[in-house]
Amino acid sequence: MAQCKLTPHEYIQNAFAPQVAILCSEDADNLCLKNNLRFVELIQPFCRLNNEIRIADPSGNTVPIRNLRVVFEDMNRRPPQPTLGKKLLSEVVTNTPWDRPTIRTIGASGTRGALELELQPTTRWYEAWRDTFLHIQYPSDHEFTKHYLACVLVVASNSDSPLDQLNRLSQYLHQQLHQTPSRYPKWFSPNILKYYLLVHDVTVGDLTKSEQVLEQMSSMYGAGNCHMLQINSRPLDHSDIHLPDPWTQFLVQRASCDPSGGSSSETSSGTGTPREDVSGLPTRVTEGDTTDCCEPVHPLSPPPTTVPTMDEKNGAFDIMPGVEISSDVPVMVDRPTQPPGTPQHHGGCLTSSDVDRIRIFVHEFCVRSLIPHTERQIRHLNDVVTNRSRSKSLLSATRRWLVGNKSPGAATNSVIYSSEATELQTRRLADLCFMFGLYELAYSFYHTAKNDFKSDQAWLYFAGAQEMAALAAFMHNSADYPKRYLHNSLHTYLNVCKVYNFAIRATILSGEVLKHCGEYGEAAMTFIKLTSEESDLLSALMLEQAAHCFIHAQRPLPRKYAFHMTLAGHRYSKAGQRAHSLRSYKQAFQVYASRGWVLAEDHIHFTLGKQAQHLKQLSEGLTAYTQLVDQKLKHEAPSQQSPSQQITYVREFINTFHQYVQQDWEPSMGLPYLPLPMIDSQATRVLLGAAQDKPTSPEWTPASHVSLDSPPAINKRWFALEKELVTGASGTGLKTFRPNLQLLTSETPNTQSPVVPSNEPVTLEVLMTNPLAVSLDIADVKLVFTFMSEGEDGDDSSSAVYHSPHAGFTLPAGAQELVRLELLPKLVGKILIQGVQYKLSLTPDPSTGAASTSSATAPVVVEGQQGIKVQGPRLNSTTAEKCGAVYAKDNRLDISVLPPLSRLSVTFHGIPQIMSCGEMCSTEAIITNVGPCSVSKLCLAVSDPNHVYMETHSTLVPEKSVCVLSDSQSVDSRINSRVETLTLPDNELKPGESIRAKLWLHAPLAPGAFEVELLFYYDTSHQTGKNKYRLLRHHESIYVEKSLSLKVTSAVSQNLETSLTQDEKEDANYSYTSNLVLEALNISEVDSSCQSYKVVGLSSNSKKWAVVPHARLKVQELRVGESCHMCIKGVQHINKKKGNMVLSKYPFEGGQTPGECWWRFSLRTRVSLPDLLADPLPPNPTADHIPPPPTQAQLDTSYITEANTLDTVITIWWKSERGGQMTYGEHSVHLKSLGESVIVPSQMLVGTAEEEKPPIRIIPESPTQLLPSLIPPPAKQRNLVKVSAQFPGPTQHDFLSDKLCCLEFVLSLHNCTGCNLITFLNLSQDGLPASSGGGSSQMYSPQASTQLLYVGGTARKVSLPPWGNRQVPIRALITCPGSYSLGSFTLTAIRQDAGRDKTEQPTPQLCQIQTAVTVMQTTRERQTHDVR
Amino acid sequence: MAVPGNYYFAIIGHHDNPMFEMEFAPANKEPKKEDHRHLNQFIAHAALDLVDESMWTTSNMYLRLVDKFNEWFVSAFVTAGRVRFICLHDVKNDDGIKNFFMEMYETYIKHSMNPFYEPNSPIKSPAFDKKAHFYGRKYLTG
């Protein structure tokens, strides 16, 4: 709370305290000067009466006065001239210290609107200014409160003849009293109280002599008007400092007025007064230059003749002329300033009894002389006023009636009263009453005077009386006073009379009054009314008071407060009060801070910076400028300043920073922090280890490994690969897998500090962003880091870590730059990277540089650093983490250096950039150990083993058309991991040695990008727990273009053949065949690099199927859009061992195999690994159990499934030509079941029939079975039974003789499964045993011919044992000759056990035996047969 | 309806944060110097105190003139969600400002219904900008 020390009542009482002049002889002053005080100053602290005294009003009632204060002034004092006055006021404001601000919450705390503000508890500079302002006012003729009521004449007892001196002083006083009234000093009335004081020095003077003098004085001037004051009881030399010093606080205030006091005594020196040489400034006497008593007058003090000016006549001089006080002209140049902290001690010769005597003197003076004198005066004036007003009232009433009640308008102050005019006497009486606390009386007199002045249109007098009337009413009863009086008088002062001094005084007083009454808004308005263009200091003070009023109102207005504080700060700055300006802006900023008012904030920061810089508070200035240029916190509200303004900001910032570093910064603390440019710490990337060496031959390319340039790697994939590698290499599952990182970014898990072997570089990439519209130059970028050597003392970090700085660059407006900095550790230890340091400067503008080459000096360069702080991702697993914002640790900048490790380098030769779908190619790779240690284990993981394979030595397959691969040879078809171990010669790769390997690539059948991801794993000789292995990545992206599409359809063959076996005699079991139809279509684009493809052969691999061509196939060339069809036969091959694979191949005439490795990819087609990023399968809970023996149903199921299984990979080989080079490739199709049709690439599967999906049911028809039946659905139960017929050949029948021809043949039913089946054979097509309605609805006969009829048992139930055969004899009758299809019949097979399971429905199997029989009419003549 | 003059329009959120600012100057006059742009912010911000007081005295959203500083008048409008629209103007144009506020209110409501717009955050939509510009020309500067 900006509280004043005094209550408004006290303040008003003080402001209108009775004035007493002091006329002091030189001797008396000299006596007092032993105490470093003049007489006036000596009594200053004691001029307030602490006890209550009483005064009688004209009617004789006594009224108590509390705390009466009497102002003693040197009679010769003159208020300073306006310019000097301004300087004094300015200085007072500058010099007054202020308290620490206190924190206050505005608005209900805890709510959204609550604001914690640091507020100034008091505004002491304002109070000091206010007191000084009133003190330096010239007394005016329209009021008498500043006029001297009495005069105290002081002489010293030790002077030659005190009485003579007294006499001379009296004469001088008489002269002064009866001069022309416009001169100074002003007297209350010609008949003032004269009081005579004899000062007696106890140590020097003779008391008896002094008493004699006092007696003489008493006899001459009356005993009541004389007094003797004994001082200086203490000898001068041993002055005890520990006494309280009540003078200091008064002297501070007083000091500002001294020069004028001194100068006015000079003025009077010409008149030959006895005080002519009392000119020395008392404060100087003991300040060192004491000898120089005749101190020259202040050069700025007014010359003696100009003291009375025209303005003073009506008491108004303008203190607000347009003259500015420039702050760098020191006010009071010749006044030696007291060094702070060593205050001069006053009153060194005074004992406490002396002090008491002074008090007694003041009390005596007031009670014995002043009060009675005042009472007399009041009575006298009262008489005068009442007498004259009676005579005058008629006149004035008449005049009022004639003139009318005019309001103060455009009238001028033309009325001049004589000093004895009744109106003035009334006013005088009122002032006297007011000064001595008779407020009620004063109010009535003021009121009378006001009305008189108003009728006379003496506006200044009127305004004064009105103001005082209001104050008197307020002092009498603060609750009820005429508020409008204050307003009116202020308005009159300001607008009609244009006397700003009185307006200011009225504002100060009414402000206090209004604040006391709680009308803060009104008070603020009053203060604001007084602001004007002319006086900046006044405006600043008034605005600040207004601001405080806003914040202290019942409902605080913090935003108004902030605005007016800003305005006040602005005016303070214009008035040269930099410290106050800084303070005001700072206090205002609290309200604006971080709300997005960017322009306002920028203005405040810029001003703060400027003021602080001028005040040499560089760190504060730097903070403000930093806020201006720092854009880190301004994401929501970016700077809206124009580029030119931003340049100014940056330039000021750099200059201040430069000064700050030079003056205040301690180099031991490292470099100071810079806010520009912005460094995105999270984007910092750390690359460990060197890049792969460039091979000497340009045809060889190094492994891509990890680098800062490559596009961001899909870390998840590489980590998954690494995990598989580590799992595969260690052989056991890992509990916690932590990837071995080489490139650390914000995406990688950085909880462990990274490791790097010594002599391998660490590269740090820092992202610098320029957020401003200003171009910046950055030079000499270095890393700030510490190195701690392991074991030994790590003080020589310079030799332990070789550091290569970045030369620098220009960062244009809004640009980003990636800065790469490299460290090369030489010793084992720990590197902790803390930040970067660099030199920052503004880019010199070429346009302005050309315009003013002379002034274009080199821009200021500052050096500073910025920290890099990284944090991991936010954690969200535990409750504590969910509730708070907890971030994982990020140790990417905390690097451990290990001893040197082995290092591999891999180079490849001729990896193609473009491939056709299904193309195969091999590239050579050389793996070299370039590190200092040997490698004993080398593994490789490929993300896609179906298409990438690396071998160190090639394996060939036997050159047989059908061969059975042994378990080890067919391992490719069973691979379950992406990891393979590369064999090393002697199980070790010594430093410098290299091995060669072949990398086989098989382009995938889908066009697009073919991502080849190779991850080499090799162990290190490092034995500690960390870093047991190292990794090397290679990533290659190959463009794959369209080539062929392959469609393979399998169909069931009803044929039964004896199976192919290795050993023909071994088992002459029945075997099954299938028909395979292949369709190859050239789907390549017209503009692709390969246009025509030649199909050169085919192959298959399966557990038991081998392919046999029906006919000899030739190489076929396919151009774009062409296709070819082939039909081959699949024959089952008895394969005893479970792991073995049957590999059959059939090169066409003139064709050959596509390279050595084709069969591996062909075998791998059947492998489909889980997706690299897929979660590992949860461990099967029943895995450990011994499975129970299979039930019959389970067995049956497996049999049924087996009967439908094909599980064959059909591969076609092709060759083509690209740019003169022959290319080979293969397309493989994996057929899983019989009757299936598969097409590759699979996206061609548009037109093929999809399996019809059942309608979606929202409410399930039947409750879902908890244990679903194992038996496959009826739709899958196909091909259980094969039917073949042993048909009769063409027959002849004599239809003429016998109308019916009877054909007999045998249907052979074969059970393909291992379960007992019941087969229903229905030849007549109607009345299936199970499906009742199906057949009857048919309106036509599905029979091929009505002339062929099956006879005998047309519906049969045949039970088939496992793999058993049944011959079913069939008889048909034909009525006329012709060719007959034996038609189709229905065959239904169902498991024997199915009866128990109601859900299982048999499916009719429509068997169409594609056989016809021809029956001819026997020719009677020649009975010949014709077989067809 | 439009009265040529200088206008400054701001939408102010719940934390006294400016969400949207725009200045309108008469078409024929060149825009004001940049040096005084911060003054608009100061005046608008200071007027919030009076807006917060006077919005309880009326049931209208449009509060008319709430404050005055030097040559600037401050008119205000408070939405149902207590988002405050402030308009600084150096000419009297009660009807125009009222209409402008109503249109901007509608535009603001539509914008705030965007699920990707976080309430109380600065409005950066170019469409909103365009609308404000259009209504400013229609009702304010002409």
Side-chain angles (χ1 to χ4, degrees), chain A residues 327-647:
Chain A
S327 67
D328 40 12
V329 176
V331 187
M332 302 297 134
V333 266
D334 57 350
R335 171 127 68 112
T337 48
Q338 295 185 2
T342 58
Q344 194 183 23
H345 196 260
H346 305 284
C349 299
L350 298 179
T351 59
S352 55
S353 58
D354 286 341
V355 172
D356 284 343
R357 283 190 200 118
I358 296 171
R359 282 216 179 88
I360 289 165
F361 153 66
V362 175
H363 188 258
E364 285 288 301
F365 166 72
C366 290
V367 174
R368 291 277 166 81
S369 306
L370 188 62
I371 297 291
H373 172 77
T374 310
E375 284 171 348
R376 277 199 301 279
Q377 283 280 320
I378 289 174
R379 268 200 301 277
H380 166 69
L381 285 169
N382 193 32
D383 288 348
V384 170
V385 168
T386 42
N387 286 340
R388 294 214 190 150
S389 66
R390 228 174 281 137
S391 59
K392 208 190 157 206
S393 58
L394 185 65
L395 186 67
S396 65
T398 322
R399 189 167 54 193
R400 215 172 292 149
W401 182 51
L402 288 170
V403 174
N405 207 350
K406 255 192 166 182
S407 65
T412 52
N413 291 310
S414 53
V415 186
I416 294 171
Y417 293 99
S418 75
S419 64
E420 296 301 315
T422 324
E423 288 87 348
L424 279 190
Q425 295 287 35
T426 317
R427 167 79 207 234
R428 192 171 276 153
L429 173 60
D431 279 343
L432 201 57
C433 293
F434 190 92
M435 283 192 281
F436 285 92
L438 303 169
Y439 297 115
E440 200 174 356
L441 204 57
Y443 173 70
S444 65
F445 288 125
Y446 279 131
H447 198 263
T448 316
K450 175 188 82 103
N451 287 342
D452 287 346
F453 290 135
K454 189 177 182 184
S455 59
D456 291 342
Q457 297 181 27
W459 299 125
L460 180 64
Y461 292 85
F462 163 68
Q466 199 174 30
E467 180 192 359
M468 292 308 290
L471 289 178
F474 172 74
M475 292 297 282
H476 181 246
N477 177 11
S478 57
D480 177 34
Y481 70 100
K483 210 185 296 176
R484 64 198 154 82
Y485 279 16
L486 281 175
H487 276 271
N488 285 347
S489 64
L490 186 57
H491 182 259
T492 314
Y493 279 138
L494 212 53
N495 298 334
V496 181
C497 312
K498 310 233 185 299
V499 282
Y500 291 106
N501 289 18
F502 287 105
I504 293 165
R505 193 187 70 183
T507 307
I508 295 170
L509 294 169
S510 66
E512 283 299 319
V513 169
L514 288 168
K515 275 200 274 184
H516 179 263
C517 299
E519 291 165 44
Y520 285 98
E522 292 271 325
M525 286 307 136
T526 317
F527 283 123
I528 290 169
K529 222 177 267 175
L530 217 63
T531 58
S532 61
E533 288 297 318
E534 284 94 32
S535 174
D536 289 314
L537 179 66
L538 173 78
S539 303
L541 286 164
M542 291 299 133
L543 283 167
E544 193 180 10
Q545 287 304 309
H548 281 116
C549 287
F550 282 126
I551 202 75
H552 291 131
Q554 275 87 359
R555 196 182 297 143
L557 304 174
R559 291 161 282 204
K560 284 266 174 205
Y561 162 78
F563 184 39
H564 286 90
M565 280 307 269
T566 313
L567 292 173
H570 179 64
R571 300 307 288 267
Y572 272 132
S573 138
K574 280 175 84 178
Q577 300 281 357
R578 294 192 189 280
H580 281 289
S581 170
L582 189 67
R583 180 186 51 76
S584 307
Y585 269 108
K586 256 201 245 168
Q587 283 169 358
F589 179 69
Q590 303 169 69
V591 180
Y592 294 103
S594 63
R595 293 189 188 264
W597 298 95
V598 276
L599 291 172
E601 279 185 39
D602 284 354
H603 169 77
I604 293 175
H605 284 312
F606 192 51
T607 318
L608 281 178
K610 264 197 305 193
Q611 303 295 6
Q613 195 187 3
H614 280 291
L615 289 168
K616 301 290 169 209
Q617 297 175 3
L618 286 175
S619 68
E620 204 159 313
L622 193 61
T623 315
Y625 281 131
T626 305
Q627 298 239 10
L628 266 187
V629 296
D630 194 355
Q631 300 289 320
K632 250 181 221 118
L633 307 168
K634 296 189 188 170
H635 286 304
E636 278 292 292
S639 173
Q640 292 180 11
Q641 301 291 350
S642 61
S644 61
Q645 194 66 36
Q646 288 190 5
I647 285 186

